[in-house]
Amino acid sequence: MLTSRSAVATAVPIACDTFKTEYHPNSGRAPAIETFSTFGHPVEAEASSTPIIDDTPWQPFTCRADFEFAELAHQAALNKDQTDKMLQSHTEVSKAWDRAATQMTTFEKHVISVPYKKEEIEFDVHTRPLWDWAMDLLQDPLLAPHFVWDAQRLYKHDGTDFRRFIHEPWTADRWWRIQSSLPNNGVPFAFILYADKTHLTSSGHVKAYPVIARCANLPVHIRNSDGIGGGRVVGWLPIVPTDSNEDGKLNYTNMKRVVWHKAFIKLLESIILYSKTGFAHRCFDAIMRWLYPLILLLSADYEEQCVMALIRGLHSNCPCPVCCIPSTKLSDLNATYPTRTVEDAKAFLELYLRDRVAGEEVLKAHGLRPIANALWEVNNSDPHETLSFDPLHVNDIGNWGNHLFGELKVRAKALGREAEAKIDKQFDAFPRWRDLNHFKSVMTISFSDGNKLRDIAKQMLYSAQNVLKRSEDPVGYALMQCIGSYLRLTMYIALDVHTEATLTAGEAELQVFGTRLHAYIDIQGEDLTKNWNFPKVHALTHAFPDIRAKGAVRNFSTRPNEKQHGPLKRAYLRQTNRKDVANQVLKLDHISLVSELIRSRISYLDEDRRKRTMSQGQLEDEDTLDDQPFAGHLHIGAPQVPVTLAAVEEGNTSNRAFQDFRKKFTKFLNTFVASNDIPLADGVTWLRPTANDKLQEHRYLKVNYESIVDWRLTTDYLRCNPNFHGCERRDCALVRTLDKDGIDKHIFVRILFMFKFTVSNHTFELALVLPMDTPTGSRGGVDRDLGLTRLRARPSASSEFISLQSIVRGALLVPDHDHDRDFFLVDLVDTDMFLRAKLLRSF
């Protein structure tokens, strides 16, 4: 549970941007209070000696050029003939890779044997010993300073008190509990493991079953990356072949689970003993610690979670891998049921081994299989605790992609093709935004990509709000209310930093969603055809407990791991002869790993040499850039040829927003200069821009702002272009201004024209904008029911000038196609806008 804490005595002044860190008592470290500029910086690591510079990091390649050619040949998947034609010996390159391969832990092959129908069936398992891989990470001088060992409780002062927040795994509750169970000098070495079958070919005939590991002791920007310190294939599990005579039979299904857990034991073998005894290691800060390896998080979709937890799956009595909720209660989001425990599972298995009939009855009642779980062998690795909520498969592909989106398509189709076409047309008209997929149509197309499904969900509410209306389709309207709540719930779940306030709000929204879901179910009456008692809707009840226990969902999402299937598929298709698949693909994957290691060392050497050539002043200027408290600043780009004010007016005579351009600009300019105490030339008291004075239009703007989610610098990329890739694009922004009483307020604007204008050696970055602050009256029923924020633009002639410095951040606004000058704020575009919109609505 997140709680408020009082400040402790400290020499650091307590202010809004003050942070406090409480370390686990076993660490022996005193609480620390830091300002924003120092919080999060590894002070001890910086004070310690820096990694040794290797002047020849490309070894065992004879020179840098040889390595870079081999790197290029590997990435481009050049074959022997192609390599030889480029004046390099393929044989020599291969030998160099073989020598380099020894720098990192290689794969080992094991054979496991499983009895079935009085026969012993053998399977190959390939593993990179987990503890050896961990030692590779620990011994890398570029990674060593970044390891975090002790549990922490973090607080930020809000002007009244310190409020706890959580993000990384070591800031959440489970790490603290685990460290409390270890000896005083013991710390967790926490693994995150992901496993999932994948197709190596589009036909699906060739499959792979990789296991990917990440180290939870490393920060998320390293841990979730694809480079050194990021996710790495550590296992290749066997896939039991399909058998038309055996598939579906209980014994054959159980045999598959036995194979999985026997294979997984091979992966875990190297950490089982150390999870009980610890492993003494002198860390980067020169402190000797006892590291206790454990599986902190398991990241997987529902099918794999059933295998990992050894439950009987979708049609069992208790289909949740975490708790014992009955299958008939899965849609009840208010209910809580006992959590599964290892002790219970072991007791049921022992009963089964003594009395198969009685044991099978108990196991079946709890949805468990009569098999020992491999994870039981590793201390502090309870599979029911380590299994984690996955937003990709639970929400994007599951609750939305397979269920809510499908229901919406059914409702729209029932209204006729005109309704479907209207939704598609409004999707096509949806304004472009960086990192948001754009769709010409969605209603008659099937999507399987979770990222695309997530972006469709973000746009659907605005594109369908005037189609599925209460008057025309009460059931569809109830569905829209359900979708609106679901989308707000997913935004709370997606936050990268959580406080007690955001967790409480998210839990409240979960109850709203549950209520609206059942309202949608009830309104259908006898026409209800869908059973909403399925595991993924129930999984939502575990999202916030998982966040409290393990940190933000990006710590355990499958999204970073799914991306790693791509390189394996490319290696198979481009660089193998389709035989002995596991050995060939894993060898290529290992070359990729070694290549990344050598490249990281070369990059470090290059950066070190660059810094050595810089003066102390240059270094200080460069280093302070990231230490600023993220005051908003801009970069204006895409400059056009300077033109006169008269030319601007003449070129926009048909646009009422440019009416009286020079007159309004003169008034704004004088007010702006006076209010900002900008000195003018001697004797000048009033600026009078002439028709021949020139300005320079710009069509691109980068806006840096401090995110209210994680207080980090974030960038929006805005366009104001009459012809951007063939379409007019005028982006919107949130700006800080004053009301008629001189009090600060925030409004949304559409940027119509950006430019620079110079006065008395002062160059101003300005914009003509259309404010969206016309009163809309009390919030309408549809807006309130769907959670929409409506904005209304002023008439075009009421455009105004602003300083670009007044922009807080960019904003995505979508027109309400049924009401001229009305727009909806897309607060679902990112978590910062979601929280900002919530704050703005509260005023």
Side-chain angles (χ1 to χ4, degrees):
M1 180 67 69
L2 305 187
T3 55
S4 171
R5 293 290 190 189
S6 300
V8 297
T10 176
V12 177
I14 303 300
C16 270
D17 277 343
T18 306
F19 291 81
K20 181 173 72 167
T21 304
E22 289 181 354
Y23 298 97
H24 192 278
N26 289 358
S27 71
R29 302 172 69 180
I33 293 187
E34 302 166 281
T35 61
F36 187 92
S37 61
T38 59
F39 175 74
H41 290 263
V43 178
E44 295 88 356
E46 291 175 2
S48 302
S49 59
T50 56
I52 297 171
I53 300 299
D54 181 359
D55 289 327
T56 56
W58 44 81
Q59 289 187 354
F61 293 89
T62 55
C63 62
R64 179 170 179 161
D66 281 357
F67 163 71
E68 290 183 339
F69 174 82
E71 179 186 43
L72 175 64
H74 175 66
Q75 292 173 349
L78 299 184
N79 60 31
K80 181 180 184 299
D81 291 341
Q82 291 167 331
T83 304
D84 290 339
K85 284 179 182 178
M86 295 184 73
L87 306 180
Q88 288 279 351
S89 167
H90 181 271
T91 302
E92 290 304 315
V93 170
S94 297
K95 287 180 179 178
W97 280 128
D98 289 340
R99 292 192 299 271
T102 61
Q103 297 184 32
M104 301 289 281
T105 300
T106 56
F107 280 90
E108 299 175 357
K109 180 179 176 180
H110 315 269
V111 178
I112 60 171
S113 177
V114 175
Y116 185 67
K117 287 190 173 181
K118 299 180 181 180
E119 291 184 18
E120 291 290 327
I121 307 176
E122 293 186 343
F123 298 92
D124 292 343
V125 184
H126 300 261
T127 67
R128 195 192 304 270
L130 267 184
W131 194 244
D132 293 347
W133 174 74
M135 295 307 296
D136 288 343
L137 298 180
L138 287 167
Q139 291 166 5
D140 188 324
L142 302 183
L143 288 178
H146 298 284
F147 279 90
V148 177
W149 300 113
D150 296 306
Q152 301 172 11
R153 288 176 178 160
L154 303 180
Y155 306 86
K156 183 177 185 290
H157 206 275
D158 64 358
T160 303
D161 204 352
F162 279 105
R163 308 290 177 184
R164 187 180 168 196
F165 65 91
I166 57 177
H167 53 94
E168 294 280 13
W170 56 81
T171 69
D173 294 341
R174 187 159 184 254
W175 197 296
W176 191 282
R177 290 198 303 269
I178 290 172
Q179 190 165 354
S180 298
S181 72
L182 300 177
N184 283 344
N185 59 348
V187 294
F189 189 100
F191 292 94
I192 301 171
L193 296 182
Y194 160 89
D196 191 17
K197 292 187 287 292
T198 187
H199 298 294
L200 295 179
T201 60
S202 56
S203 65
H205 290 128
V206 182
K207 298 178 183 179
Y209 206 152
V211 180
I212 296 169
R214 298 179 190 271
C215 176
N217 299 75
L218 290 169
V220 68
H221 71 276
I222 297 176
R223 180 177 73 242
N224 279 2
S225 73
D226 299 325
I228 296 299
R232 186 54 51 195
V233 176
V234 294
W236 193 276
L237 303 180
I239 299 175
V240 180
T242 57
D243 185 329
S244 58
N245 294 321
E246 299 292 330
D247 283 339
K249 294 180 180 179
L250 179 62
N251 286 342
Y252 196 66
T253 302
N254 284 343
M255 186 270 284
K256 290 182 178 181
R257 303 300 180 262
V258 172
V259 170
W260 193 96
H261 282 266
K262 276 200 169 186
F264 213 68
I265 277 284
K266 292 297 179 184
L267 176 65
L268 302 177
E269 270 181 351
S270 62
I271 67 170
I272 290 172
L273 177 62
Y274 293 139
S275 75
K276 301 170 177 60
T277 65
F279 180 91
H281 177 73
R282 186 173 297 280
C283 301
F284 183 79
D285 56 9
I287 295 176
M288 180 67 75
R289 292 182 175 89
W290 283 84
L291 311 185
Y292 286 80
L294 56 95
I295 312 304
L296 184 75
L297 303 170
L298 287 172
S299 174
D301 63 15
Y302 177 72
E303 180 184 356
E304 303 303 325
Q305 289 194 4
C306 292
V307 175
M308 293 170 172
L310 282 171
I311 67 167
R312 302 193 182 202
L314 184 62
H315 302 294
S316 65
N317 291 327
C318 298
C320 175
V322 176
C323 73
C324 295
I325 186 170
S327 59
T328 57
K329 300 291 184 180
L330 292 171
S331 65
D332 184 356
L333 304 185
N334 293 311
T336 56
Y337 287 84
T339 301
R340 294 182 183 274
T341 67
V342 169
E343 292 74 22
D344 285 345
K346 286 182 175 180
F348 300 154
L349 180 59
E350 288 173 6
L351 174 61
Y352 176 84
L353 296 175
R354 293 195 309 270
D355 184 337
R356 292 209 166 193
V357 174
E360 172 64 16
E361 184 178 347
V362 172
L363 287 167
K364 186 175 181 179
H366 288 83
L368 290 169
R369 295 191 182 276
I371 302 165
N373 196 307
L375 291 153
W376 294 349
E377 300 299 319
V378 182
N379 278 14
N380 294 302
S381 302
D382 181 333
H384 311 295
E385 283 193 70
T386 59
L387 286 168
S388 306
F389 178 87
D390 175 36
L392 174 61
H393 292 95
V394 170
N395 282 342
D396 302 328
I397 297 174
N399 288 321
W400 169 251
N402 293 334
H403 300 288
L404 291 170
F405 188 22
E407 291 287 287
L408 186 142
K409 287 183 175 181
V410 170
R411 301 312 310 175
K413 187 174 183 179
L415 292 175
R417 181 58 196 144
E418 187 178 336
E420 294 177 299
K422 187 173 183 178
I423 293 175
D424 280 340
K425 182 180 179 181
Q426 291 173 173
F427 259 93
D428 189 29
F430 209 91
R432 267 67 167 179
W433 190 257
R434 187 182 178 91
D435 296 330
L436 184 70
N437 283 296
H438 184 266
F439 303 91
K440 283 188 172 295
S441 63
V442 300
M443 298 305 292
T444 57
I445 300 174
S446 296
F447 296 88
S448 58
D449 184 297
N451 294 328
K452 286 185 169 61
L453 285 166
R454 178 189 58 191
D455 288 351
I456 290 171
K458 289 184 175 188
Q459 300 171 55
M460 182 58 78
L461 206 61
Y462 311 98
S463 301
Q465 53 82 27
N466 57 351
V467 176
L468 296 177
K469 298 186 287 189
R470 189 196 298 271
S471 58
E472 297 182 20
D473 183 6
V475 175
Y477 188 75
L479 175 63
M480 288 290 286
Q481 288 180 280
C482 188
I483 289 172
S485 177
Y486 162 80
L487 291 171
R488 291 190 294 276
L489 176 61
T490 61
M491 295 305 289
Y492 282 116
I493 291 172
L495 292 170
D496 287 338
V497 174
H498 280 272
T499 65
E500 183 60 39
T502 61
L503 288 166
T504 300
E507 289 163 339
E509 192 62 57
L510 175 63
Q511 302 310 309
V512 172
F513 173 66
T515 300
R516 292 192 171 181
L517 175 60
H518 280 278
Y520 172 62
I521 293 170
D522 294 342
I523 198 173
Q524 294 177 76
E526 295 181 357
D527 295 329
L528 178 67
T529 58
K530 186 178 187 64
N531 181 3
W532 287 88
N533 284 310
F534 53 83
K536 287 180 181 177
V537 75
H538 164 72
L540 291 166
T541 64
H542 295 300
F544 296 107
D546 271 356
I547 291 168
R548 291 177 186 274
K550 307 165 191 177
V553 292
R554 64 180 177 176
N555 297 335
F556 38 83
S557 171
T558 60
R559 191 168 257 111
N561 300 305
E562 298 265 324
K563 290 192 305 181
Q564 297 203 256
H565 289 173
L568 299 177
K569 295 176 184 179
R570 288 192 292 273
Y572 170 77
L573 293 171
R574 299 177 184 177
Q575 295 174 272
T576 73
N577 61 6
R578 312 296 198 270
K579 300 174 182 178
D580 194 16
V581 173
N583 278 321
Q584 288 195 65
V585 171
L586 292 176
K587 181 178 180 179
L588 292 165
D589 180 74
H590 189 70
I591 290 175
S592 297
L593 171 61
V594 175
S595 175
E596 290 166 8
L597 175 68
I598 296 173
R599 172 54 63 189
S600 70
R601 292 171 178 170
I602 291 174
S603 297
Y604 185 88
L605 177 64
D606 290 346
E607 179 65 10
D608 181 74
R609 286 176 172 172
R610 186 185 72 84
K611 287 187 174 181
R612 288 174 188 271
T613 64
M614 296 173 67
S615 68
Q616 185 62 31
Q618 288 174 314
L619 285 170
E620 289 174 357
D621 288 342
E622 184 178 75
D623 290 343
T624 56
L625 210 55
D626 291 333
D627 295 342
Q628 294 175 357
F630 303 142
H633 60 282
L634 312 169
H635 169 74
I636 185 169
Q640 306 299 299
V641 175
V643 296
T644 64
L645 296 181
V648 173
E649 290 181 316
E650 290 167 7
N652 293 277
T653 53
S654 62
N655 189 340
R656 297 194 65 198
F658 286 79
Q659 182 178 313
D660 298 326
F661 182 89
R662 188 152 50 98
K663 181 180 178 181
K664 286 197 292 190
F665 180 56
T666 299
K667 183 179 178 181
F668 164 80
L669 193 59
N670 283 280
T671 303
F672 179 75
V673 167
S675 62
N676 288 278
D677 297 322
I678 297 171
L680 300 176
D682 291 344
V684 176
T685 59
W686 185 261
L687 296 171
R688 292 179 175 82
T690 69
N692 292 324
D693 284 341
K694 289 189 174 182
L695 56 74
Q696 185 175 32
E697 180 188 0
H698 287 256
R699 296 180 175 178
Y700 176 58
L701 181 67
K702 288 201 299 187
V703 182
N704 295 325
Y705 65 94
E706 180 188 330
S707 168
I708 65 172
V709 176
D710 60 8
W711 315 293
R712 293 182 182 276
L713 185 69
T714 308
T715 304
D716 277 338
Y717 302 81
L718 306 181
R719 303 280 178 180
C720 181
N721 195 324
N723 187 14
F724 184 68
H725 295 295
C727 299
E728 181 180 14
R729 179 164 167 180
R730 311 283 181 185
D731 285 344
C732 300
L734 176 66
V735 303
R736 185 182 298 106
T737 185
L738 301 175
D739 65 14
K740 57 182 174 48
D741 298 319
I743 299 173
D744 279 347
K745 71 171 184 177
H746 290 79
I747 65 169
F748 292 93
V749 301
R750 181 176 295 283
I751 303 171
L752 305 175
F753 187 70
M754 294 190 299
F755 61 97
K756 287 182 180 180
F757 189 79
T758 301
V759 176
S760 301
N761 297 321
H762 294 282
T763 299
F764 304 120
E765 297 172 340
L766 308 171
L768 179 69
V769 301
L770 185 63
M772 304 279 182
D773 60 348
T774 300
T776 59
S778 59
R779 201 176 188 192
V782 174
D783 296 353
R784 184 175 57 253
D785 289 346
L786 303 186
L788 301 174
T789 299
R790 182 179 295 273
L791 302 170
R792 185 165 296 157
R794 295 184 191 177
S796 295
S798 298
S799 60
E800 291 186 356
F801 290 94
I802 64 167
S803 165
L804 289 179
Q805 295 295 332
S806 68
I807 292 178
V808 177
R809 60 153 295 174
L812 179 59
L813 304 185
V814 58
D816 178 356
H817 297 280
D818 288 352
H819 299 89
D820 190 35
R821 290 174 41 210
D822 276 17
F823 294 80
F824 296 114
L825 169 66
V826 184
D827 56 355
L828 304 172
V829 71
D830 58 53
T831 51
D832 174 86
M833 184 56 79
F834 177 71
L835 293 187
R836 282 185 196 273
K838 189 168 179 282
L839 289 173
L840 291 172
R841 284 194 295 266
S842 67
F843 290 113

